[in-house]
Structures are given as C-alpha cells and as structure tokens.
Amino acid sequence: TQLLEQSPQFLSIQEGENLTVYCNSSSVFSSLQWYRQEPGEGPVLLVTVVTGGEVKKLKRLTFQFGDARKDSSLHITAAQPGDTGLYPCLGNAGNMLTFGGGTRLMVKP
Amino acid sequence: NAGVMQNPRHLVRRRGQEARLRCSPMKGHSHVYWYRQLPEEGLKFMVYLQKENIIDESGMPKERFSAEFPKEGPSILRIQQVVRGDSAAYFCASSPGQVSEAFFGQGTRLTVV
C-alpha cells in the first residue's frame, strides 16, 4: 500500500497571505491529482500533474510535481476566504489510487 | 456528460438495518473507487472495482460490507446490520482507466440512529 503524507494537516492564515502545502511519498506515481473539498461536498479536481518537474498554474494556485514523481506541492498566492477547504492529493500508481489525508485550510478575512 | 452520480445523498438507518449506496460512474468510465470519510477527517480508501470484478478491497471491513459493480447498472456498496460507527460520508469516484484522473460524486451521508 502506497502512503501519501500531506503537511501541514491544518493551516489557519489571514486573507492575503501566501502558503504552500505538501504531498510526499516514498512511492513513484505515474500521475498525481490535487483536489479541493468544501464541507458537505465531494472533492473537486483542480489539476493533474504527470511529468517529473512539471509546474502548472491555475490562477493564484501553482502546482509542482517533484522530479522523481514522489512528491508534489501546492502554492496559493494571496489566499482568500473562498480558498477555505480540504486539499487532498491523490497519487496514481498502477491499479491503486492513494489519497493523502489532506490539508485543512482556513483563510480568515 | 453527467458527472458521477451518487444516491441517495442522505440515508438514515436504524441499527441492524441494511444500507445500500449507489454510484453511477461517468459515461465511459469502467473503474469505480469507494471512499469513506468521517467528519473533519480525510478520505479513506475502501474498495476498487472494475466491471464485474473487485480489484482491491484492502480498505473494506471483512464483515458486513460488500461492494459490486455489475455489467449493467450502478456500483453498489452494501452495509449489512449497520452500527452507529458506520455513520459517515461515503464517496465514490470513477475513472476511464487505471492511469487516469478520478472524478468524485457528491457522496452519500449515512446516519445510523
């Protein structure tokens, strides 16, 4: 069973601050997805990274896949209260999709 | 193309009853995953199915829980003789293949009273 460790588990920041959250594993993934989940809803796919070293931007969000495809990071610039939610990552290795526990982000106005 | 559909959205069962949770994957998707989420926690893998086959059920309790994905119709997660500890949100995800993006449904929130 592959394990995905996400850090930090909880993060509370003020509106306008920048933050980075991490998704780490000892396993190599063919692809890795980041999701955002709001209370009472299902996870919504934000981005998929496939190539080692890949960087993808989605407005204020920047996603990076590690060169060895074992880890990934999500950076949010100028966080807004609407960014509040759970951010789980999902690694794809063979026939297994492995979820990290997620980082629970709260952005205070 | 409709997304992953789960029903019911909310399900209340008394202790000892059976709960049946349904998941219709996105069109063209033959892989289904079930996850369980307790309040304020992350998603925990339960079972991975392809059409008519269980590929990995390592996250599913050995007793009272079963899952199927028949050739026709939705995937079903069945919980027999429910207990209060089964109360949780159950999400399913589908993908078109093994090395593919997974898309999630809105979940079924099971409450055992």
Side-chain angles (χ1 to χ4, degrees), chain A residues 35 37 40-41 48 92 95, chain B residues 37 48 98 101-102 106 109:
Chain A
Y35 294 79
Q37 185 182 22
E41 301 294 328
T48 299
N92 193 325
N95 68 345
Chain B
Q37 187 177 38
Y48 164 40
Q98 284 184 359
E101 295 173 333
Q106 294 283 56
R109 276 143 194 87

Side-chain angles (χ1 to χ4, degrees), chain B residues 7-110:
Chain B
N7 66 79
R9 287 293 305 273
H10 299 275
L11 182 61
V12 180
R13 284 287 177 266
R14 294 186 184 280
R15 280 179 295 172
Q17 289 185 320
E18 178 179 285
R20 282 182 152 242
L21 288 62
R22 295 175 191 78
C23 170
S24 295
M26 289 179 71
K27 188 176 180 180
H29 287 195
S30 58
H31 298 241
V32 165
Y33 307 82
W34 284 94
Y35 293 84
R36 171 184 156 125
Q37 187 177 38
L38 294 171
E40 303 300 311
E41 293 191 9
L43 293 105
K44 296 282 181 4
F45 169 77
M46 296 182 74
V47 62
Y48 164 40
L49 310 104
Q50 293 181 29
K51 283 285 187 183
E52 300 184 276
N53 289 307
I54 295 176
I55 306 302
D56 185 338
E57 55 183 347
S58 58
M60 202 151 71
K62 294 285 188 288
E63 297 180 355
R64 301 190 298 107
F65 285 72
S66 62
E68 62 177 13
F69 188 16
K71 188 176 180 181
E72 301 290 338
S75 175
I76 305 287
L77 178 66
R78 188 165 77 154
I79 311 172
Q80 295 177 295
Q81 299 174 329
V82 295
V83 300
R84 288 233 171 97
D86 297 332
S87 295
Y90 292 84
F91 291 94
C92 83
S94 74
S95 69
Q98 284 184 359
V99 187
S100 306
E101 295 173 333
F103 295 88
F104 282 80
Q106 294 283 56
T108 293
R109 276 143 194 87
L110 172 66

